[in-house]
Amino acid sequence: MRSFYALISSPNSYRHPLVSRFLSLRFSHFSSLKIQQSTATHTITSMDAAEESLRRALAEKQSRIEAQGNVVRELKSSGTAKPEIAAVVEALNALKLEKASIESQLQAVVSGTGASSSVNRDSFRQAVVNTLERRLFYIPSFKIYRGVAGLYDYGPPGCAVKSNVLAFWRQHFVLEENMLEVDCPCVTPEIVLKASGHVDKFTDLMVKDEKTGTCYRADHLLKDFCKEKLEKDLSMPAEKAAELKHVLAVLDDLSAEELGAKIKEYGITAPDTKNPLSDPYPFNLMFQTSIGPSGLSPGYMRPETAQGIFVNFKDLYYYNGNKLPFAAAQIGQAFRNEISPRQGLLRVREFTLAEIEHFVDPEDKSHPKYSEVANLEFLMFPREEQVSGQSAKRLPLGGAVSRGIVNNETLAYFIGRCVGIADRSAYDLRAHTEKSGVPLVAHEKFSEPREVEKLVIAPVKKELGLAFKGNQKMVVEALEAMDEKEAMDMKATLEAKGEAEFHVCTLGKAVTIKKNMVMISKEKKKEHQRVFTPSVIEPSFGIGRIIYCLFEHSFYMRPSKAGDEQLNVFCFSPLVAPIKCTVFPLVQNQQYEEVSRLISRSLTAAGISHKIDITGTSIGKRYARTDELGVPFAITVDSTSSVTIRERDSKDQIRVSVEKVASVVKEVTDGQSTWTDVWEIYPPHSSVSADE
Amino acid sequence: MRSFYALISSPNSYRHPLVSRFLSLRFSHFSSLKIQQSTATHTITSMDAAEESLRRALAEKQSRIEAQGNVVRELKSSGTAKPEIAAVVEALNALKLEKASIESQLQAVVSGTGASSSVNRDSFRQAVVNTLERRLFYIPSFKIYRGVAGLYDYGPPGCAVKSNVLAFWRQHFVLEENMLEVDCPCVTPEIVLKASGHVDKFTDLMVKDEKTGTCYRADHLLKDFCKEKLEKDLSMPAEKAAELKHVLAVLDDLSAEELGAKIKEYGITAPDTKNPLSDPYPFNLMFQTSIGPSGLSPGYMRPETAQGIFVNFKDLYYYNGNKLPFAAAQIGQAFRNEISPRQGLLRVREFTLAEIEHFVDPEDKSHPKYSEVANLEFLMFPREEQVSGQSAKRLPLGGAVSRGIVNNETLAYFIGRCVGIADRSAYDLRAHTEKSGVPLVAHEKFSEPREVEKLVIAPVKKELGLAFKGNQKMVVEALEAMDEKEAMDMKATLEAKGEAEFHVCTLGKAVTIKKNMVMISKEKKKEHQRVFTPSVIEPSFGIGRIIYCLFEHSFYMRPSKAGDEQLNVFCFSPLVAPIKCTVFPLVQNQQYEEVSRLISRSLTAAGISHKIDITGTSIGKRYARTDELGVPFAITVDSTSSVTIRERDSKDQIRVSVEKVASVVKEVTDGQSTWTDVWEIYPPHSSVSADE
C-alpha cells in the first residue's frame, strides 16, 4: 500500500524551492555546510565511483600486506640477517599506513561526510536536536511518564514555526491556487477505509523476537544490518558491498518471503537479545477504535487526510460549478501505529498532514501554469534506476515530462511547487463509487451530440438455457463481460465457423458457443455527454518533516566574541521565525525601559510578535539566547531618541529613530524590504559596547 | 467528571463580546431578532413569572369552564327555556375563547418565541442549517456512506471561517497575552488519563432498550420527556410544571439512582420502540485504542487538550524563567464518544478545542489587568440558584467577585475575555505529580530566609510495635497523616490524660494511644523558599460551538427586490468572512473582463481573498449568491476608469477609481477604516441597473 506514493525522493544535498522560502538566504557560508546535511528519509544508496575505487584499493592493499607478511615470516624462519628483515618490515609498515589512510577515506565516504570535511553528520544532527529540545522547539510527549516512542510535542517556539509554515502553505496553495479546503474528522468508520484498501493493505512487515515477543520492522532490521556492515566492515569485497547496496536500494519492494529469506541468509537476530526472529508478517498500521456506545461499529484514526476529500467529491464538484480541473486541500492530523518509530520528527505515530487532491480529466492532464515550472531543475531518481541500483540525476521538469519520467504536466507543475507527489489515477474515486453506490464521476457536456459506436452483446438466453442448463447464468455473465476485442474476435469466428471455444472463468473450463446463442454488433448512438471518473494528482506534505528539514537547514554554529564557546543560531527567514523581534534596553535604566515599552506597544499595534527583555543580563548573552531561537531582528535601546536594529546573521546594526523603528521592522519582516534595502537607507551603527 | 467545568452558561439572548467581534454590527435590525435565537447548550429553564401566571390563569379558566359546563347541563336536564340556556352557552363559549387565547400565549412562551413575535425558533434554525449545508459551510461526514452521528466536515467556506476564527483566537490570546503555546498528540497513553481521572470518571449515564439493546443517554430521555410535557400539556397544574422545571434545572447533578428513579416514576420508555429501559449505568466517553504493535499498551484519543499542558508544566515553568503567573495554550482536536450525539455542531464526537491553562500562585489570584474588565456586565447563573430553580441575573464582574460568585480576579479577567471557564485548582498537577513521581511544583524564593513553625509528629515505633504488633504500620501511617489541628488536640489530650482515643481508618476502628507512643511538637525552622502546587484557571473554547453560534447570530433573511422570494444573508464581519470581496463585470464584455482581472491581481497582491465571477448571470443573482456566503464587499466593473464597491448589508454603493479600489477594500477589511468612513469620502453610486 505504501507504494501508492511515487518515489521522487529528495537526496541529501537538495533543497526544494519551498523550503528555501523559509530560510534567510543572504549568507553564503551555508552553501558549503548544506551539502553535508541529510534531511531526506530515503537516502541515496547507489555505490558511487569514489567509494567503489576506495574499496578496491583497500582490498588490494590488504592482499599486498598479507603477501608482505608472509615474506617477513619466511625470512625470519630461514634465519635471514636482521638488517635485511628490518627493511622488509619497514615496507610492510608503509603498506599498513597506506591501508589506514585508505580506510579513513572510505570511512568518511560511507558515513556520508566526505573525506575533505571535518563536520560529522551525526554530531551535527545531535547538536541540532539538543538545541531544539533544550529550547522546547519540540520535546518527547508525556516525558514525565518516560514518553511514548513516536509521539512528540511542539513547545512554544516550535508551535509558532508550525503555525507560520501552515499559514504560508494555506496562502501558497489554497488561496493562490483557489483550492477548496475541507476539514474532516480523524475518526473514520471502517467502511470508508475498507473501500480505500487501507483495512486490507495498509501494512508493514513485522518480525517478533521468538522468545520475548518484542516486535521489529523487518525491513529496518535488514537495512540496519546492511548499513552497519558497509560502514564497519571496510575490508569486505567490493562485490559483497555492491550486493548489500543493492538490497538497500530495493528494500521497499521486497515481499515478506524475500525479506524473510534475506534475514535468514544474513543470520540477523533480535537486536536487544540476539534471539532468533519469526518470519515476517503484515501488521496493519492503523489505530483501531470503536464508534458509539454499542461496540458494534469499528472505526480507525485516519492514516491520511485524502479519503475525507474523496468521499466529498460529489459535493465539491458541484461547489466548483461542475467543472474540472479543480483541487481540494486538507490540513489535519493523521495517525500511523508504526511498529518501531525512530528518527525523531521524521517517522512518528501522529503527524500533521497537508494534502492536495487535484482532480483532472484523465484525457487531458495539461496544466495552464506548466510553462512556469518547465525549466526548473530537480534531482530525480526514477524507479527503474532505483531498482537497478543507480544514482539520482538532475533533470529539468520539461525534459522529464517529455521523456516520460514525470507522467504529465499537472504532476510536473506540482513537483515545481511541492514535494512528495502521487498520481493516484482514478483508484480512490472508483473504490468509493463501488462501495457506497454513489457515482463519484464528472460530466463533459458536448456542445452538440456526438455519434459514437457502441459494442452491443446480446446473449440469447433461450438457446443458452437449452445448452448449459444450470450453468446458463455464468455463461451469460462471461459473455457480457467481454471487452471489445474479445467480442469482435468471437463474432468473426462465429461468422466463419459457426461456433467458437469460450473460456468461462467462473466454471473453470471452456464451453462451445454456437452462432445462435449470442448476437454481437456495433451500433451507432448519439451521445450528449461523456461521463468519466476523474484522475487524481496528490501532492502530500508531512508538515513535521518539512519543519524538521527547515530546522536542520537553518542551524549553524559560530564562535562567541571571546572565542571561548560555540553559539547556536537558527537562520529562519522572518516569514517562519517564531518571534520576529526583540526589544532590549542596553542597560537597566528607567528611561530606556520606558522607551522599550513604547516600542513594544507600537510593535503590537503593527502586529509583530516580539519579546521584551529588561533583565540586567549582558547584551551579548541576550543576543545569543535569541539567536538560538532564530529571532531575526533585535532592537537595542541605548538612547531616548534613536535606537539600533541588529540583524541576526550578519550582526550588522543600523540606527533608527524611536518613532520609525516599528515601521522599519514591519517592512523587513513583511518582506516589503530586505535588510540590504534598509542598510542602504539608515546609518550603520558600530559601537563596541552595544555588540557582544 | 463533567462537573469539573464551572456552570457559567450563556442564556439565549446573551452575546459575548468575543462573538460580537465576528459580526458586522452596523445594522440595528438584528437586535430584535437575536432575542429569539438560542445558541447555548444549557437552556435556562427557570419558571419565569409570565409563564407561571399564564399557567395559573389557564387552570382557573379551565375550572370556570367546567363549572359553566355543569350549569349548562343542569339547565338542560331541568328543562329550562332555550333563550335562557343560549345566554349561558354564550358565556361558556366566551370562556373557551379566553382559554384558547391564554393557551396560545402560553404555547408561545414555552416554545421560547415570545407571544409578540411571529418568528419561530425551530424554523429559523432550520433555515440556518439548510443554508449552511447547501453552501457547504458544513456537511455530515461520510455522507455517501449514510454518515456517522456526531461527525461533521467543514466545507470550503466553513474552513475559511474556522481558520479566521483560530487566527483571531491566537492573536487575541496567545500573542496579545504572551501565552506559551504547545501542540501535543491526540493519542494518549492510559497512564496519563488514569492519573487525571478520565479513565475512571469521564462517563455519562446510559440506558439500554431492554429488547433491542439500543443505547440512550439517560439524562437526555428525562430532559426530552420533561420539555415535551411542558410544551404540549398546557393544562398541567402549575405545581406539576414547577416540578418538571426543577428536574430540568438539576438534571446535571442527578446520580444514576436518582435518574433511574425518575425514569421509572414518569414511565419513560425507549423512544423508538416503547420497550422498557435498563437502569442507568456509566459509559466511558473516551475512544480507546492500542499503541504500538504488541497490543499491550492501551491508549485513548484525548478527551481534552488540557492534559498535554499539565504533563509539560515543569518544562513550561522553566521556559518562563521559573516565574508565575503564566498561561499555556493549546489548539487541537478532542474526542468524546458521545452516546447519542445531536444538535449539529453543538454536541459532536470530535471537535477542535482551544484551551488555556493559566497557572497562578494559589495565595495570590489577583490579575494585573483585572480593572479592565471589572465593570463589564454578564448574565450569571450561580450554582445555588440553578439548583433551587431560579433564573439567571445580569451582574457586573466586579460585584460578582466581591460577592464570591466569581471566585477570584484571574477567573473574572478571563470571563471578561472568554466563555466557559473552570477553576481546576491544583487537581491535575497534584494527580500527575503523584502518578509520575515528578514534582510539578513552583518555587517562591524568599529575599531573606523566613522563620516558620512546622508541625513535627514522631511516632515511637518501639512502643507502638509492642502495643499493636502487626497493625503497627497502619497506626504509624495514620499518626503521621494527622493535620495540624488533630495533632495539637491529641497533644493536649495526651498531656492532660496520658492517653487518647484515635480512629485508624485502615483498621476500621479506634485504638488507644499512650503518651510514650508519639511525640508531637512545633519546631521553628528557617526556610529559604516556599514550594507549592500552582492553581489552574482554565478558559476552554469549543471552536465548533463558537462558529455555530456565529452562524446563527449572523443569519438573516430579506426580501428580493421583486419581493417574490426571501434571500439569505450572513452578516459576517470582514475579520471572519470566508471571502472578503467579489469582482463582477456588470455585463459580459472584454474590456470589463480585463479590468476585473487587473483588480483581481491587485487584490491578490494586497493579500485579500476574493472571487471573480465573469459569468453572464444577472448582477442581482451574483450579489444574492455571495450575500449567502457572507462576502462583505462586491466590486462591480461598469466602466474602465472607475468601479463601484457595494456593502453587503446596507447595499450602499460608492464609486472608486480602478487604481484605488484594492487599497480601499484593504482598508475596510483590515479594519483600518469602517464603511461609514469610506462612505463619507467617496461619491455614492445609485444606478438602478447596477443593483438588483
Side-chain angles (χ1 to χ4, degrees), chain B residues 368-384:
Chain B
K369 296 192 191 167
Y370 171 62
S371 63
E372 291 177 17
V373 303
N375 293 323
L376 291 178
E377 278 203 357
F378 280 76
L379 262 174
M380 298 204 192
F381 196 17
R383 171 170 274 267
E384 300 71 43

Side-chain angles (χ1 to χ4, degrees), chain A residues 134-136 139-149 151-157 159-160 162-163 170-171 175-176 178-189 191-192 195 206 208 213 215-216 283 286-294 301-302 307-308 310-312 314-316 318-319 329 333 335 337-340 349-350 352 431-433 435-438 440 579 604 607 609-611 629, chain B residues 134-136 139-149 151-157 159-160 162-163 170-171 175-176 178-189 191-192 195 206 208 213 215-216 283 286-294 301-302 307-308 310-312 314-316 318-319 329 333 335 337-340 349-350 352 431-433 435-438 440 579 604 607 609-611 629:
Chain A
R134 185 165 42 76
R135 298 310 301 266
L136 300 198
I139 32 178
S141 299
F142 316 114
K143 216 167 76 174
I144 62 169
Y145 292 104
R146 284 170 298 282
V148 174
L151 295 180
Y152 290 90
D153 296 345
Y154 292 92
C159 259
K162 184 178 172 187
S163 114
R170 194 171 258 125
Q171 179 65 37
L175 298 180
E176 285 184 21
N178 268 310
M179 295 177 174
L180 307 184
E181 191 176 353
V182 299
D183 180 8
C184 310
C186 302
V187 173
T188 307
I191 192 167
V192 173
M206 179 158 90
K208 268 196 179 173
C215 305
Y216 302 95
F283 171 74
M286 292 194 293
F287 284 98
Q288 195 175 359
T289 190
S290 175
I291 306 174
S294 70
M301 303 312 298
R302 63 179 177 196
Q307 298 305 324
F310 296 134
V311 298
N312 279 318
K314 216 181 141 185
D315 280 343
L316 294 171
Y318 168 78
Y319 189 85
Q333 295 302 90
F335 303 82
N337 194 11
E338 297 287 346
I339 294 167
S340 49
R349 284 178 167 152
E350 178 179 339
T352 303
H432 288 298
T433 297
K435 196 89 178 175
S436 70
V438 177
L440 303 178
I579 299 162
T604 301
S609 69
H610 63 282
K611 219 169 186 153
L629 287 175
Chain B
R134 185 166 42 76
R135 299 310 301 266
L136 302 196
I139 32 179
S141 299
F142 316 113
K143 217 167 74 174
I144 62 169
Y145 292 105
R146 284 172 297 283
V148 174
L151 295 180
Y152 290 90
D153 297 344
Y154 292 92
C159 260
K162 184 178 173 186
S163 114
R170 195 172 258 125
Q171 178 64 37
L175 299 181
E176 285 185 21
N178 268 309
M179 294 178 174
L180 307 183
E181 191 177 353
V182 299
D183 179 9
C184 311
C186 302
V187 173
T188 307
I191 191 166
V192 173
M206 179 157 90
K208 269 195 179 173
C215 306
Y216 302 94
F283 171 75
M286 291 194 294
F287 284 98
Q288 195 174 359
T289 191
S290 174
I291 305 174
S294 70
M301 304 311 299
R302 64 179 177 195
Q307 298 305 324
F310 296 135
V311 297
N312 279 318
K314 216 181 142 187
D315 280 342
L316 294 171
Y318 169 79
Y319 190 86
Q333 295 304 89
F335 303 81
N337 194 10
E338 297 288 346
I339 294 168
S340 50
R349 283 178 168 150
E350 179 179 339
T352 303
H432 288 299
T433 297
K435 195 89 178 175
S436 69
V438 177
L440 303 178
I579 299 162
T604 302
S609 69
H610 63 283
K611 220 171 187 152
L629 286 176

Side-chain angles (χ1 to χ4, degrees), chain B residues 158 197 322 342 378 450 476 496 545 608 623:
Chain B
N322 292 328
R342 46 187 191 176
F378 280 76
R450 291 188 193 168
V476 167
R545 289 180 174 183
I608 296 167
Y623 285 151

Side-chain angles (χ1 to χ4, degrees), chain B residues 40-52:
Chain B
T41 48
H42 289 267
T43 325
I44 299 303
T45 50
S46 72
M47 166 91 85
D48 67 23
E51 184 185 341
E52 185 164 352

Side-chain angles (χ1 to χ4, degrees), chain A residues 95-226:
Chain A
L95 280 172
K96 283 183 178 169
L97 271 177
E98 284 167 37
K99 184 193 159 200
S101 157
I102 297 170
E103 256 176 0
S104 83
Q105 286 175 55
L106 180 57
Q107 186 72 62
V109 169
V110 297
S111 62
T113 58
S116 62
S117 167
S118 64
V119 181
N120 179 280
R121 188 179 57 181
D122 288 341
S123 71
F124 174 82
R125 279 200 166 174
Q126 203 49 57
V128 180
V129 167
N130 287 350
T131 309
L132 290 171
E133 295 202 13
R134 185 165 42 76
R135 298 310 301 266
L136 300 198
F137 278 90
Y138 71 88
I139 32 178
S141 299
F142 316 114
K143 216 167 76 174
I144 62 169
Y145 292 104
R146 284 170 298 282
V148 174
L151 295 180
Y152 290 90
D153 296 345
Y154 292 92
C159 259
V161 170
K162 184 178 172 187
S163 114
N164 293 337
V165 167
L166 286 177
F168 178 77
W169 193 93
R170 194 171 258 125
Q171 179 65 37
H172 188 72
F173 290 111
V174 179
L175 298 180
E176 285 184 21
E177 308 264 351
N178 268 310
M179 295 177 174
L180 307 184
E181 191 176 353
V182 299
D183 180 8
C184 310
C186 302
V187 173
T188 307
E190 182 169 59
I191 192 167
V192 173
L193 295 161
K194 186 86 188 168
S196 68
H198 286 85
V199 171
D200 295 324
K201 292 187 187 143
F202 195 66
T203 55
D204 270 345
L205 292 166
M206 179 158 90
V207 288
K208 268 196 179 173
D209 181 316
E210 287 200 339
K211 290 187 183 155
T212 66
T214 308
C215 305
Y216 302 95
R217 242 181 88 167
D219 59 341
H220 280 180
L221 293 189
L222 183 56
K223 184 177 174 183
D224 290 348
F225 174 85
C226 295

